[in-house]
Amino acid sequence: MQLVLLKNKITTLILLFLICFSSVAAQKPKKPTSGELYNKIERLGFLGSVLYVAAHPDDENTRLISYLANEKKAYTTYLSLTRGDGGQNLIGPEISELLGVMRTHELLQARSLDNGHQMFTRANDFGFSKNAEETIKIWDTEKVKADVVWAIRKTRPDVIINRFDHRTSGETHGHHTASAQLSYELFQTGADPNQYKEQLKHLVTWQPQRLFFNTSWWFYGSEDKFKKADKSKLMSMDVGVFYPLLGKSNTEIAAESRSKHKCQGFGSTGTRGMQMEYLELLKGDLPPGKEDIFEGINTSWTRVSGGEKVKPLVDKLISHYDFKNPEKSIPLLLEIHNAIQKTKDPFWKAMKTKEVEDLISECAGLFLEAKTNTHKITPGDSITLDIEIVQRLPFDMSIQSIKGHGLLLDSNFNQNIILNEPIKWSEKIKIPEATAYTAPYWLVNKGTLGLYNVENQEIIGDPETKRSLNVTFELKLKGKTILYNKEVVHKYNSPENGETYRPLEIVPPLSVKVKEPVYIFSSDQANDIKVTVHAWVKNQKGTLSIPLPTGWKSIPDVINFELKQAGESQDFTFSIIPPVKAEEIYISPEITSNGKRYNQSIIDIDYEHIPFQTVLMQSEAKLSKLDVKTLSKRIAYVMGAGDEIPASLNQIGCQVDLIKPDALSSEKLQGYDALVLGVRAYNTEEGLKFKQQIIFDYVKNGGNVVVQYNTANGLVTKELAPYPITLSRSRVTVEDAEMRILAPEHEVMNSPNKLSAVDFDHWVQERGLYFPSEWDKNFTPIFSCNDPGEKPIDGSLLIAPYGEGNFVYTGISFFRQLPAGVSGAYRLFANIISLGKNVRP
């Protein structure tokens, strides 16, 4: 079939759908049951919207979101102000921006289960904040405010629900309170045409009718206090309803949704029976019955001009639905489709038109797919596009055309679709040279500590980057044309998982990656830096170099390379000589090929619970020339929730062996200078509770044990140390908070590295977290620190001699500092693991 350049523009309706109602990319297509179709049909008759507001992924109340979406049939959106970059990762090494990508898609997976929708602002999760004032100061307040107003105007909520209390600054995470404060402040702003006027090029003003705070006994301190509290301003609802058509309680669905937050360890067990949720009215009128948040709000088709003709058709569709023969609903769905087009409200017209078109496809058992045989492709290259069309329930329809968007494809068919007879067609398609690379749009431009840098108003708030390569199937049913847009995906058969989908990624022809994110130069000697060049198309050649500032030297300056096969990689080594003085720099390797320069790295994130993610970012590494010595060379390391400290210790000349808790024994630990337990090891490694005596004996016989932070909740044993110690939630979030030295003469401050106040300059994100609040007199506290306006905390680093060795407990965030190349943190950690290695008096 002849290929021609697509000239027709996508219809306004499809554009509006892509902007407002896009779904999770590259997922195995949903195949709803007849019961699920009936639930969708019921949703056609409800025109109400809710915006649920909180700060982070995993803050949302999935019970309430699922209830509103599935029981009330409301268009329910969760607005997470951040993407959770500042959190921790319990299942892998990704932190910062990469963790934000993971948590974004965990949220999208959660919404795919509870039938909610997802939005974000540009606010960046910069780490724990103790009050809303600090949070708002670090966020670019006006831009974040604009984003909240944009979300209100875009989702047009009748009701806004805050997860947190706007009146509690300083009592909880500052991001939490700030999210509620912004929602409270901006409740009426979306209706003001003089506020954020630039948004009105795309949307109209909107005023919600009610604002609630989703309270619970937790906010009152205890269940007993909540029972005694005045509830005259509260409304309540039982969200523990059972859905016979789904075979699940709402709370079971909510638990499945909640359990998608795997990297934060939020697996949840479903419950059954009554589950009350409480809402405190903050603005607007309290529903008289105090049970239905939409009471008194018109949520039927009569709320829109022309909708009075749609309502009886939807009522008839619901009452006449045939569970065994859903295709019998299609004629009435076509009537409803026609009636919706005559309504005057663009918001509800677009949303309900999309819902009807999806129902028509699903009631016909229609399967439409555009897949390719590759996962990554470069602009100008070609792919084999495989088209499949199958209709599995009887209804007369035909395929008129298949057109590409971002693809050179425009094919006419005018062919009837025969029941259960697949139409399959393959075509080799060239990707236009001007096709943009795919990447998380919020990471394309460098942002600030508190804000992502996104200027395109139309994509602000979108959960993910819209794919530029799509195929539109033009179908005709009873003389009516309906367009179905499908993203081009990569699909293959996995031996373990069977049918597997991945997004189709547009990547540069060459990518480059530095093997390690940080290189430590502890002397004047050269350090080898390995750089990998990867070709995504065949016959690539060019030069590779590492631009360096004055004082640093690279041998060689330039390396020539040639890669003949697509998918081929080659490693190259540069010997970098540091300057004499201590200095920290960032490098970005650079490829020159065919007159173009490339300096981007391609990072894959592969977990079974989220779609395969490919992140395109500038390849960067930190080089740190520092004066650091260590007297401990062999280190045994037990991983906990996951961190990069073992690789960091290798950088300063240590040999680090990863040991599973089950393998710990007195014989195994012989010959090791220190045993280090990774972050939250006593929260995540059940086997450690059986190994404590072995660990204590190792210390007693002259070993060093370093236990990094754990949370008090979920400890596998209460005997963390050979002496009593009590953990708390205390933390110091200001990364440049003063570190007052309580024991200046202690060995850890003097050997093998002489430490001073300058070693605590240029730390990142925080000083530490979950410091002990009480400890045995055998422990010596080394530092005292605190956030502004708070009492001193002395438990960040505790050291106790035990027998011939030393036991160390620390909440200092070495897991953030060492991978970031913070020189003072390296020197302090080297001293910790070297305790007792000096010749004693």
Side-chain angles (χ1 to χ4, degrees), residues 43 52 60-74 76 110-111 113-116 239 241 243 246 249-255 257:
R43 193 172 294 127
Y52 195 92
E60 84 278 29
N61 183 343
T62 55
R63 292 189 302 268
L64 189 52
I65 288 175
S66 179
Y67 174 82
L68 294 170
N70 296 302
E71 176 67 14
K72 302 301 293 182
K73 313 299 183 187
T76 308
R111 297 294 79 79
L113 290 174
D114 59 34
N115 286 321
V239 301
V241 294
Y243 303 124
L246 304 178
S249 295
N250 182 72
T251 45
E252 290 176 305
I253 294 173
S257 171

Side-chain angles (χ1 to χ4, degrees), residues 255-275:
E256 292 175 7
S257 171
R258 184 79 174 154
S259 296
K260 288 299 180 181
H261 297 295
K262 294 185 185 300
C263 73
Q264 302 304 297
F266 280 118
S268 180
T269 299
T271 60
R272 287 143 296 281
M274 180 182 291
Q275 175 68 57

